[in-house]
Amino acid sequence: QPTSHPLQAATTLDDIHGYAWPDPDWIGSSHIRSEALKFSDRYAILGGEWSPFWHDAIDLMGMDTLMLNMYDAPELVDALFAHLVDYYATASERIFAEAGDLIDIFFIGNDFGSQNGPLLGEALFRRFLIPPLKRLIDLGHDYQLKVLLHCCGGFAPLIPALIEAGLDGLQALQPNCRGMEPSGLKSAFGDKLVLIGAINTQLMIEGTPDAVRA
């Protein structure tokens, strides 16, 4: 977990561009092919970078500052997401170049929901988060991969935008969060993308064995 938010005081594009961004060259992918070959005849293979650019942006700028900047300095938010997705997209491309023919699913993860609904409204989501998400989705499709998004919380109002961006599946749906009843999601979206999960994972983490059995 972050001990500080190093870009919380950023006020200019130079502040964003001048940050010590990681280099994709630090990530080795030469082992990916041999690992995938071990299981490719038995299982669907998930691959690519997890790409949690939303979480990284919160860690770097702080959630409150990030949200305020969406209104006050949108160019800073765009630049922040661009640097993060540049890194993840390049790293994933290298993985796919190494073993894309053995990988079935590009699996990415960003949590956009709380217990009671999305962490931000649909207009802000479409403005700031759909473009970087679509960039990753398009990357997966360029390599003929299905793209699966892990997303926790209640985010049902955002699902239409994800479908429009070309997402193939959603994973770890939490039925205890607002708007995430499995039957409702299936009726509304089940013919447009794959829905995976519908288990109350919080109960499994926080509950007793008897409660989980029940």
Side-chain angles (χ1 to χ4, degrees):
Q1 297 297 313
T3 58
S4 66
H5 305 297
L7 291 176
Q8 190 164 35
T11 58
T12 69
L13 287 174
D14 286 343
D15 292 334
I16 303 295
H17 297 323
Y19 183 70
W21 296 103
D23 186 339
D25 285 342
W26 298 343
I27 303 299
S29 59
S30 60
H31 65 292
I32 297 291
R33 188 168 192 84
S34 61
E35 289 296 313
L37 277 169
K38 295 178 185 178
F39 305 103
S40 61
D41 62 339
R42 297 168 58 196
Y43 302 108
I45 303 297
L46 283 63
E49 277 290 329
W50 184 239
S51 308
F53 65 90
W54 166 244
H55 300 273
D56 293 337
I58 291 170
D59 289 348
L60 287 167
M61 194 171 275
M63 180 177 275
D64 52 350
T65 302
L66 178 65
M67 297 279 197
L68 290 170
N69 279 339
M70 289 180 176
Y71 291 96
D72 298 333
E75 69 282 0
L76 300 186
V77 178
D78 288 334
L80 179 61
F81 285 149
H83 276 286
L84 291 165
V85 178
D86 281 348
Y87 169 78
Y88 287 125
T90 301
S92 290
E93 280 185 295
R94 294 181 181 182
I95 291 170
F96 300 151
E98 186 74 30
D101 58 320
L102 299 175
I103 295 171
D104 301 289
I105 298 168
F106 182 19
F107 192 27
I108 59 178
N110 284 276
D111 297 334
F112 300 123
S114 71
Q115 293 291 108
N116 293 311
L119 294 172
L120 72 172
E122 184 180 357
L124 289 179
F125 184 72
R126 287 181 177 273
R127 163 64 181 83
F128 290 101
L129 291 166
I130 283 296
L133 279 169
K134 190 173 189 309
R135 183 177 169 191
L136 293 169
I137 292 167
D138 289 347
L139 172 63
H141 290 165
D142 286 344
Y143 285 87
Q144 290 74 55
L145 306 175
K146 299 297 185 183
V147 183
L148 178 65
L149 173 70
H150 164 91
C151 191
C152 287
F155 60 96
L158 308 180
I159 294 177
L162 293 169
I163 293 171
E164 291 171 22
L167 188 69
D168 298 298
L170 284 166
Q171 184 259 2
L173 307 175
Q174 292 183 273
N176 54 308
C177 296
R178 184 189 297 257
M180 302 301 287
E181 297 82 4
S183 60
L185 294 177
K186 179 64 176 175
S187 296
F189 309 115
D191 61 340
K192 300 177 179 67
L193 79 176
V194 173
L195 301 168
I196 302 172
I199 295 172
N200 183 348
T201 50
Q202 284 180 292
L203 175 65
M204 297 179 71
I205 294 168
E206 300 169 0
T208 65
D210 286 343
V212 171
R213 291 187 190 99

